[in-house]
């Protein structure tokens, strides 16, 4: 199955009841799959909105009434959704937002890129808020993470972003679906489903009282701290004796893994740290690895964005080098191996 279709099928099996989207390459297969298959679940709704702005506000409305809801797009389309994502965060509404990113800035290209790391992990819209950001690296993980995204969104009442790229969305791999939601999902507490038998309830983002807004922001902050404590996830590969550790996420981590296998064959002790949650970022693990080695190479398919989080995590306790290819250029494992090998010898690690 291709990655886009895998996300869509996993979302249906996770109990997604509403999907609102607008076509954009390279994630159109996801929208097409939802249009074809979402109706097999009772009471589900698919709408191709007239714009990305309309789609995210439809998501807002569906989340208000307590259903599991998803939208998807690619880079410039996600930019148009940012105001709506900020509103979702302010109203403490769960939603799953998929970004199969492409080259930018501007319309850029439809080639695979990791250029939206800043946008995803720094909020993207206005105000003090965060979104959980999940970064899969295979088609199987796209499906598994989609199910996790819906659970996290409901658990913490927060928008969750799945950050993929055009390559992950288009590539085809064997897949096993491990989850199936019940036919009838429980209604989320706090949902607006009519006021019969209770006072009317209003969910809003506007307040003219700065003290009230301050307390809302601090309340969100406390939840974000809990998410950092409970939900940070990552994968390591051959780090136990590594003298040089590559930090990479998503499809770049797949490429880096091939380079590291080649390095090991050539006697170079290189390992990999792959953040799965980009926010919260696995800062504690980076700091822990710095007790064993002081040499890190951040590899991204952009001009250097995650490198800032690695540097913040190390707090000066290690040396960080960077290698990246922006604009949708996809490096090969052989290319990354040459970079790793050169750095390994320059640092005198051999």
């Amino acid at each position: 199955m291709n990655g886009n279709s895998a996300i869509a099928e996993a979302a249906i099996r996770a109990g997604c009841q509403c999907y609102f989207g607008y076509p954009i390459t390279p994630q159109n297969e996801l929208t097409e799959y939802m249009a074809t298959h979402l109706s097999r679940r009772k009471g589900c709704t698919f709408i191709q909105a007239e714009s990305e702005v309309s789609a995210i506000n439809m998501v807002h409305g569906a989340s208000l009434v307590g259903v599991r809801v998803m939208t998807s797009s690619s880079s410039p389309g996600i930019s148009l959704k940012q105001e709506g994502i900020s509103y979702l965060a302010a109203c403490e509404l769960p939603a799953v937002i998929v970004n199969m990113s492409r080259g930018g800035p501007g319309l850029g290209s439809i080639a695979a890129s990791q250029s939206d790391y800043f946008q995803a992990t720094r909020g993207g819209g206005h105000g003090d808020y965060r979104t959980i950001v999940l970064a899969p690296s295979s088609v199987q993980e796209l499906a598994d993470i989609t199910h996790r995204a819906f659970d996290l969104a409901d658990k913490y009442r927060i928008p969750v972003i799945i950050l993929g790229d055009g390559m992950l969305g288009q590539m085809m791999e064997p897949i096993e679906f491990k989850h199936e939601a019940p036919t009838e999902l429980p209604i989320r507490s706090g949902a607006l489903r009519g006021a019969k038998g209770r006072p009317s309830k209003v969910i809003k983002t506007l307040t003219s009282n700065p003290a009230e807004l301050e307390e809302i922001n601090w309340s969100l902050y406390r939840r974000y701290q809990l998410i950092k404590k409970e939900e940070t996830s990552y994968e390591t590969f051959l780090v136990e004796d590594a003298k040089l550790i590559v930090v990479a996420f998503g499809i770049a981590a797949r490429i880096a893994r091939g380079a590291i296998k080649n390095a090991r064959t050539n006697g170079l002790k290189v390992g990999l740290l792959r953040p799965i949650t980009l926010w919260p970022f696995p800062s504690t693990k980076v700091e822990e690895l710095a007790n064993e080695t002081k040499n890190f190479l951040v590899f991204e398919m952009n001009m250097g964005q995650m490198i800032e989080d690695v540097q913040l995590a190390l707090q000066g306790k290690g040396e960080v080098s960077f290698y990246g290819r922006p604009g949708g250029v996809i490096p090969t494992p052989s290319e990354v191996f040459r970079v790793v090998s050169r750095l390994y010898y320059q640092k005198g690690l051999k």
Side-chain angles (χ1 to χ4, degrees):
M1 214 174 197
N2 68 55
N4 286 325
S5 299
I7 293 174
E9 177 63 27
I12 295 169
R13 289 171 180 255
C16 179
Q17 294 152 284
C18 292
Y19 173 90
F20 310 108
Y22 184 80
I24 184 172
T25 307
Q27 63 81 59
N28 284 331
E29 293 84 2
L30 198 164
T31 305
E32 182 181 15
Y33 194 99
M34 293 299 270
T36 305
H37 296 281
L38 183 59
S39 60
R40 75 170 189 252
R41 284 187 67 92
K42 179 183 176 183
C44 291
T45 299
F46 168 92
I47 294 179
Q48 179 177 308
E50 66 267 31
S51 70
E52 288 89 349
V53 175
S54 296
I56 195 65
N57 283 287
M58 292 176 184
V59 168
H60 190 112
S63 189
L64 276 170
V65 300
V67 302
R68 285 192 156 184
V69 57
M70 183 174 83
T71 188
S72 64
S73 192
S74 181
S75 301
I78 295 293
S79 295
L80 291 167
K81 298 176 191 280
Q82 289 303 323
E83 182 186 43
I85 296 172
S86 176
Y87 275 57
L88 286 164
C91 291
E92 303 176 61
L93 295 174
V96 175
I97 300 147
V98 179
N99 181 3
M100 288 306 195
S101 59
R102 57 194 241 178
L107 282 176
S109 73
I110 62 172
S113 178
Q114 296 181 320
S115 58
D116 296 347
Y117 183 94
F118 280 155
Q119 182 194 62
T121 61
R122 268 58 178 171
H126 61 286
D128 283 324
Y129 78 94
R130 291 286 197 174
T131 56
I132 295 174
V133 184
L134 305 173
S137 67
S138 68
V139 175
Q140 180 65 59
E141 197 173 25
L142 280 171
D144 296 341
I145 272 181
T146 298
H147 190 275
R148 182 186 177 192
F150 279 101
D151 286 347
L152 289 174
D154 283 349
K155 180 178 180 180
Y156 294 104
R157 290 177 291 137
I158 189 174
V160 177
I161 292 175
I162 299 173
L163 185 61
D165 61 75
M167 186 172 179
L168 267 177
Q170 299 296 319
M171 67 192 296
M172 299 188 73
E173 294 184 313
I175 184 170
E176 176 186 359
F177 292 101
K178 304 172 184 176
H179 308 282
E180 186 73 60
T183 304
E184 298 289 337
L185 289 166
I187 302 301
R188 190 176 71 249
S189 63
L192 300 186
R193 305 286 282 219
K196 186 177 181 179
R198 65 162 176 80
S200 294
K201 184 187 300 180
V202 176
I203 296 177
K204 62 179 182 176
T205 69
L206 176 66
T207 173
S208 57
N209 185 338
E212 181 182 353
L213 182 56
E214 181 181 42
E215 181 47 43
I216 290 171
N217 282 324
W218 282 122
S219 174
L220 291 173
Y221 175 81
R222 289 188 288 271
R223 189 175 312 162
Y224 300 152
Q225 296 305 109
L226 178 63
I227 293 170
K228 283 184 180 180
K229 180 181 176 183
E230 300 292 336
E231 306 298 344
T232 303
S233 58
Y234 56 85
E235 179 190 41
T236 59
F237 178 63
L238 300 176
V239 299
E240 292 75 17
D241 63 342
K243 295 181 180 179
L244 173 66
I245 293 178
V246 179
V247 187
F249 71 93
I251 199 66
R254 290 276 292 272
I255 297 167
R257 183 182 283 258
I260 289 167
K261 289 178 179 178
N262 197 351
R264 286 282 175 165
T265 301
N266 285 271
L268 309 183
K269 294 182 178 180
V270 184
L272 173 70
L273 170 65
R274 177 174 74 93
I276 297 173
T277 53
L278 300 183
W279 194 89
F281 187 76
S283 301
T284 301
K285 185 60 180 180
V286 174
E287 190 175 3
E288 177 187 312
L289 290 171
N291 293 326
E292 306 300 326
T293 180
K294 303 300 180 187
N295 300 286
F296 293 82
L297 171 65
V298 176
F299 166 51
E300 304 177 72
M301 286 159 51
N302 57 43
M303 292 189 294
Q305 297 185 26
M306 183 178 64
I307 187 174
E308 292 190 5
D309 283 330
V310 176
Q311 290 169 330
L312 286 168
L314 286 171
Q315 302 180 65
K317 296 176 184 177
E319 297 182 19
V320 185
S321 302
F322 172 74
Y323 183 69
R325 297 294 298 272
V329 175
I330 301 173
T332 64
S334 297
E335 177 183 333
V336 178
F337 167 69
R338 288 194 296 271
V339 174
V340 167
S341 179
R342 182 168 61 248
L343 182 63
Y344 199 92
Y345 284 97
Q346 286 175 348
K347 296 289 184 182
L349 303 178
K350 184 65 174 177

